[in-house]
Amino acid sequence: MKTKLLAFALTLMIFAAPFSRADEGMWIPLLIEKYNIKLMQEKGFKLSAEDIYSVNKACMKDAVLSFGGGCTGEVISPDGLLITNHHCGYGQIQKHSSLEHDYLTDGFWAMSREEELSNPGLTVTFLKSMADVTDKVMEGVTKEMTAEERDKKINSNMAEIRKKAAEGNNYSAFVRPFYMGNQYFLFVNESFRDVRLVGAPPSSIGKFGGDTDNWIWPRHTGDFSLFRIYAGKDNKPADYSKDNIPYKPLYHFPISLKGVKEGDFTMVFGYPGSTSEYVPSYHVDMVKNYLNPKMIEIRTKKIDIIDAAMNSDKLIRIQYSAKKAGLSNSWKKWIGENQGLERMKTIDKKREFESKLTEWINADKERIDKYGKILPRYAELYSKLNELNPVSSYTSEVFSGGVEAIGFSRNIKSLADLYNATPDAEKIKTAKANLLASADGFFKNYDAGTDKKLFIALMTMYGENLAPEWQAPEYLKIKSSCKGDFSKIADKLYDKSVFTDQVRFKAFIGSFNKSSVSKLNKDLFYLLILDVNKFLDANVRPELGRVSSEIQKLNRDFMTVQMEYDKARVFYPDANSTLRVSYGSIKGYESRDGVYFKPYTTVKGIMEKDNPAIYDYDVPEKLKTLYRTRDFGPYTQDGEVPVCFIANNHTTGGNSGSPVINADGHLIGVNFDRAWEGVASDIAFNPSQSRNISLDIRYALFIIDKFAGAGYLLNEMTIVK
Ligand code: ARG
Ligand code: ASP
């Protein structure tokens, strides 16, 4: 009897507590109170859910921002100073760089507010409020509707909600689906457009270890940069003006010097981009066995070519550094992801789950009607996707984002098209001006010699690695005319084309007229890009679109059935570029049999990695001197300056730059990466190996103060000893 009672009580407890148990998950700020706060407090968090997210009082969310759309940042002073990653500010730092002022190599520090550099086009966005609007979005949606009618109704409801939310204020609003379209949330945002560069360490600190150390723990990268938000005199967003004043935020993070140790509570608050935790085994099979291998292969080639060019020439290094970082980042992640999926046996586990789920569905007539067709239909659809997806991705890797002259040539189509109908002089003038402006940006970072090598290699690979029926006709023609040896035609092409030289391009656009169109139609780069797109439009994209949108609908039901099957579990929604909270603790891990990684690194490790012969490991003299003389200031732990630490917070791309917060709500770090063994966490989180990597905030302070001599910036921060 006693045991029965106990069992009953336990069951009650499990069902009564809707709290999430594991550290895995990216949680919705609005629902922290409901689902997470209790567990967070058990783990050591000392504040309340209202301190994280509230619309009634200033709170952490008022200091977290989406930086430039792809990263996160946080405000660290009452004067709008923000910190994000070096790799998030990289594009801006690069834009201000030239051979004379090479801020990438040397770093940049504004020694007064006048010296801060403006960044046209860069915006930062704060969340003002969010709300569950599922009921409103579903208003008028009925079971009898066709899929198209349903989408139409939902879209018009969302537009209405969006419009209302942004009425009479200077906010913007959007509605986004959660749980694969089972729930909808409204987000109201405020965006600032005058954001200035304040400081960035040299790449030898901010990108220390480069692409070799990227995605790797132990890590020693000082991946941070500083910006300042400016507003109009009314503290509201304004276009750049020298009369703007530093933005006064509702809240800024106090910075802790206390440090971290294994087991300490940590929380990451930021903008994770996208994850696929609830997809069927078929999807993982596609990613792991069809898509990733093809993409890894072609990127390996591109990176080899660009790497060699960068190592041979200083200017090429500046021109291609950002491009290469981007290429290499995903390339390396895919490799780690495939290894992780293999190690975790994710496909097998999903298959096991699916067969249990199928049994459960088949045990009930109603369930069979509702869910019985999902998995068999997935099987059919993914067999198509397995072929179409790699074709589409591989083709754009070659033509749109591979050979640069080919990708760039497409821009001119909008001008050429204007000559087909009755030419409109005004439109032509604007199109020409736009092209000339985009050419400045393109050629600043373009090296024809490097591109020529890319052309020869990628044209060859496209012919070898895609089945002939997936190759565009124009390509096949060129290939046969040069007998498959693209090096034979490359020299002449690169010497003559208007797309490989800025002077030729400008002259061509300057005098562009009707007869130029026929000249353009003979340009091989232009011909290729048009034909490839025509080919994809006819043979790949429509079917790919149909299959993908049917899968999207299945995903909604698949999510519903998973939630129904496991009623006791609290599900977190996949990342979708909205603000989320992840929590957990500082934790090392076993990388492989017999190897345990401690959870933090120090400057000592930088000295160990020092190698002046390798660009990415060339430690600046000044840092060596500081180390030798042990001139560390108050930024130490056990006598060393800490650099990075890891924790088991669930993060993904977009979380870069996110504040890492301790139990007191103070800033202890800036998130920037994940450890290699656990990067498959976008598909399957591995509690024993998935780790987020953060910069220890004390290293940032040490660099600003001791290395850069910009210690004046610390005066405006709230530093807690
Ligand atoms: N892996 C990190 C992220 O996905 C950092 C990337 C930037 N660093 C680099 N060496 N490419 O964004
Ligand atoms: N480095 C990533 C970012 O830029 C973060 C990650 O993927 O863990 O957002």
Side-chain angles (χ1 to χ4, degrees):
M1 186 62 199
K2 240 192 182 159
T3 47
K4 259 197 183 161
L5 255 183
L6 189 67
F8 180 61
L10 276 177
T11 325
L12 257 189
M13 264 167 65
I14 290 166
F15 285 105
F19 286 97
S20 121
R21 288 281 125 206
D23 293 323
E24 172 180 352
M26 304 165 167
W27 303 95
I28 302 174
L30 180 68
L31 302 181
I32 292 291
E33 175 74 46
K34 190 167 164 197
Y35 292 131
N36 313 98
I37 192 67
K38 217 174 119 213
L39 183 66
M40 291 171 75
Q41 287 165 345
E42 269 170 35
K43 285 177 174 289
F45 187 54
K46 296 192 192 123
L47 308 182
S48 69
E50 277 253 293
D51 294 318
I52 299 172
Y53 175 90
S54 169
V55 286
N56 303 314
K57 63 166 203 172
C59 60
M60 288 183 204
K61 80 151 201 326
D62 299 315
V64 182
L65 52 97
S66 159
F67 183 88
C71 278
T72 307
E74 55 274 12
V75 184
I76 51 170
S77 96
D79 281 341
L81 185 66
L82 74 85
I83 188 164
T84 184
N85 291 144
H86 185 261
H87 81 261
C88 295
Y90 204 77
Q92 318 299 335
I93 305 166
Q94 197 221 17
K95 270 185 207 146
H96 293 294
S97 292
S98 60
L99 277 176
E100 299 78 60
H101 298 284
D102 187 354
Y103 299 139
L104 279 181
T105 302
D106 305 328
F108 168 80
W109 302 98
M111 287 304 167
S112 69
R113 298 213 171 147
E114 287 68 44
E115 285 179 20
E116 297 172 355
L117 300 173
S118 80
N119 301 287
L122 175 65
T123 58
V124 301
T125 301
F126 293 91
L127 173 68
K128 302 308 288 185
S129 68
M130 63 178 297
D132 184 342
V133 290
T134 312
D135 291 345
K136 277 193 214 144
V137 170
M138 299 312 286
E139 226 165 64
V141 174
T142 63
K143 283 215 175 71
E144 290 69 40
M145 283 179 162
T146 64
E148 286 71 42
E149 288 166 347
R150 188 180 188 276
D151 286 350
K152 208 171 145 207
K153 184 74 201 158
I154 287 179
N155 284 335
S156 82
N157 285 349
M158 292 204 301
E160 189 60 30
I161 298 168
R162 220 166 40 224
K163 204 176 112 206
K164 264 208 192 122
E167 234 159 44
N169 54 44
N170 59 359
Y171 300 153
S172 61
F174 62 83
V175 176
R176 198 148 292 170
F178 281 64
Y179 302 101
M180 309 276 187
N182 280 288
Q183 225 170 311
Y184 291 84
F185 282 85
L186 165 71
F187 294 83
V188 179
N189 294 314
E190 183 171 33
S191 292
F192 289 82
R193 311 184 285 278
D194 184 354
V195 185
R196 304 183 197 169
L197 177 63
V198 174
S203 292
S204 53
I205 286 173
K207 206 180 176 231
F208 182 74
D211 292 319
T212 315
D213 278 12
N214 188 26
W215 298 114
I216 298 288
W217 182 258
R219 186 68 151 274
H220 298 87
T221 312
D223 199 344
F224 77 96
S225 57
L226 299 170
F227 288 79
R228 192 185 304 281
I229 308 165
Y230 280 81
K233 297 241 153 53
D234 52 2
N235 207 31
K236 297 254 163 58
D239 287 329
Y240 170 84
S241 152
K242 64 177 188 357
D243 300 330
N244 284 348
I245 52 164
Y247 168 62
K248 298 278 173 218
L250 290 170
Y251 185 74
H252 68 272
F253 281 104
I255 293 173
S256 169
L257 289 186
K258 250 174 40 195
V260 296
K261 58 177 191 313
E262 183 127 29
D264 280 356
F265 172 88
T266 56
M267 161 182 154
V268 173
F269 200 7
Y271 281 88
S274 109
T275 57
S276 321
E277 310 285 347
Y278 307 102
V279 290
S281 59
Y282 304 100
H283 183 90
V284 186
D285 178 45
M286 176 189 72
V287 171
K288 176 168 177 276
N289 298 321
Y290 294 86
L291 205 52
N292 282 354
K294 273 245 170 316
M295 299 299 278
I296 291 166
E297 173 188 70
I298 189 159
R299 288 258 169 126
T300 306
K301 190 78 199 174
K302 285 189 194 178
I303 292 165
D304 281 351
I305 291 172
I306 294 177
D307 237 351
M310 278 171 68
N311 283 329
S312 73
D313 187 286
K314 261 189 150 164
L315 179 63
I316 298 180
R317 178 174 294 284
I318 297 178
Q319 290 175 320
Y320 282 77
S321 52
K323 291 187 234 182
K324 193 208 135 187
L327 287 171
S328 147
N329 193 41
S330 323
W331 165 79
K332 203 163 174 187
K333 197 193 103 169
W334 296 325
I335 297 174
E337 183 170 81
N338 267 21
Q339 290 178 4
L341 293 172
E342 183 59 41
R343 208 174 316 117
M344 289 186 282
K345 301 270 169 266
T346 306
I347 298 177
D348 291 345
K349 281 190 193 142
K350 291 233 175 209
R351 282 188 186 140
E352 254 168 61
F353 168 74
E354 285 157 15
S355 69
K356 271 197 223 139
L357 185 72
T358 304
E359 252 172 57
W360 179 80
I361 293 173
N362 288 342
D364 181 283
K365 167 88 180 59
E366 206 178 304
R367 291 204 288 255
I368 296 177
D369 288 347
K370 262 164 89 183
Y371 306 123
K373 293 205 183 77
I374 302 175
L375 285 162
R377 187 64 186 143
Y378 268 139
E380 290 164 7
L381 292 170
Y382 273 99
S383 75
K384 291 186 192 164
L385 213 55
N386 289 345
E387 175 145 38
L388 294 176
N389 225 345
V391 168
S392 156
S393 305
Y394 203 83
T395 307
S396 35
E397 275 293 304
V398 172
F399 295 96
S400 313
V403 184
E404 295 175 90
I406 297 181
F408 178 61
S409 73
R410 177 136 209 236
N411 293 350
I412 210 170
K413 185 170 186 303
S414 52
L415 175 64
D417 285 350
L418 293 176
Y419 288 86
N420 286 337
T422 16
D424 176 333
E426 209 39 49
K427 279 194 185 147
I428 288 176
K429 205 171 130 200
T430 321
K432 285 187 176 184
N434 288 343
L435 274 171
L436 289 174
S438 77
D440 284 343
F442 175 76
F443 285 108
K444 178 170 187 265
N445 292 327
Y446 180 73
D447 175 64
T450 306
D451 196 35
K452 198 201 292 179
K453 294 193 185 101
L454 286 170
F455 172 80
I456 297 168
L458 299 185
M459 288 299 111
T460 311
M461 286 184 85
Y462 177 75
E464 284 170 357
N465 296 327
L466 278 194
E469 76 256 36
W470 295 119
Q471 298 173 15
E474 191 61 37
Y475 168 83
L476 289 169
K477 224 163 86 191
I478 297 170
K479 186 183 167 196
S480 89
S481 79
C482 69
K483 304 210 167 47
D485 183 356
F486 289 91
S487 66
K488 274 201 211 136
I489 56 172
D491 284 338
K492 200 169 142 213
L493 251 170
Y494 276 79
D495 286 346
K496 291 265 156 64
S497 171
V498 297
F499 299 112
T500 55
D501 178 85
Q502 185 158 16
V503 175
R504 281 199 295 272
F505 184 80
K506 282 198 159 160
F508 185 60
I509 299 300
S511 63
F512 200 94
N513 57 31
K514 203 154 184 136
S515 68
S516 312
V517 179
S518 40
K519 179 162 180 227
L520 186 61
N521 286 333
K522 290 193 203 93
D523 186 287
L524 203 134
F525 295 130
Y526 188 66
L527 279 177
L528 270 173
I529 195 74
L530 290 197
D531 191 58
V532 162
N533 274 298
K534 200 169 127 200
F535 179 78
L536 290 179
D537 280 340
N539 303 291
V540 180
R541 286 178 183 142
E543 180 69 355
L544 189 60
R546 266 194 300 278
V547 172
S548 308
S549 83
E550 199 185 333
I551 285 183
Q552 233 179 43
K553 291 186 185 102
L554 281 182
N555 287 346
R556 189 179 71 228
D557 295 337
F558 192 50
M559 188 78 229
T560 319
V561 71
Q562 290 180 71
M563 291 169 105
E564 217 175 285
Y565 175 71
D566 196 353
K567 281 221 174 76
R569 169 171 171 202
V570 185
F571 287 76
Y572 62 91
D574 267 319
N576 60 359
S577 294
T578 59
L579 189 60
R580 298 293 178 88
V581 171
S582 309
Y583 53 87
S585 48
I586 307 276
K587 220 171 174 158
Y589 70 102
E590 192 177 295
S591 71
R592 56 179 195 278
D593 187 38
V595 181
Y596 184 78
F597 284 147
K598 283 204 304 200
Y600 65 89
T601 57
T602 69
V603 172
K604 190 170 147 223
I606 298 180
M607 300 306 147
E608 288 169 0
K609 284 181 178 173
D610 178 34
N611 185 346
I614 304 175
Y615 183 86
D616 289 330
Y617 293 101
D618 189 4
V619 179
E621 255 345 288
K622 177 89 186 275
L623 190 59
K624 289 190 207 175
T625 309
L626 289 170
Y627 187 72
R628 208 177 322 110
T629 57
R630 304 197 80 75
D631 187 1
F632 297 157
Y635 316 108
T636 56
Q637 180 155 334
D638 305 325
E640 293 287 340
V641 178
V643 178
C644 297
F645 61 83
I646 49 173
N648 61 352
N649 300 85
H650 194 178
T651 55
T652 186
N655 266 125
S656 274
S658 300
V660 186
I661 298 151
N662 68 10
D664 298 309
H666 300 157
L667 189 72
I668 50 171
V670 182
N671 184 78
F672 71 95
D673 206 4
R674 278 171 288 161
W676 175 256
E677 295 82 356
V679 288
S681 60
D682 289 349
I683 295 172
F685 186 86
N686 178 359
S688 62
Q689 291 194 311
S690 288
R691 296 291 179 269
N692 63 312
I693 305 180
S694 305
L695 165 80
D696 192 305
I697 196 69
R698 293 168 298 174
Y699 186 54
L701 299 182
F702 168 75
I703 292 297
I704 296 168
D705 182 2
K706 293 284 177 179
F707 177 86
Y712 83 95
L713 286 167
L714 271 54
N715 298 338
E716 64 183 286
M717 302 176 192
T718 307
I719 296 178
V720 188
K721 295 246 161 66

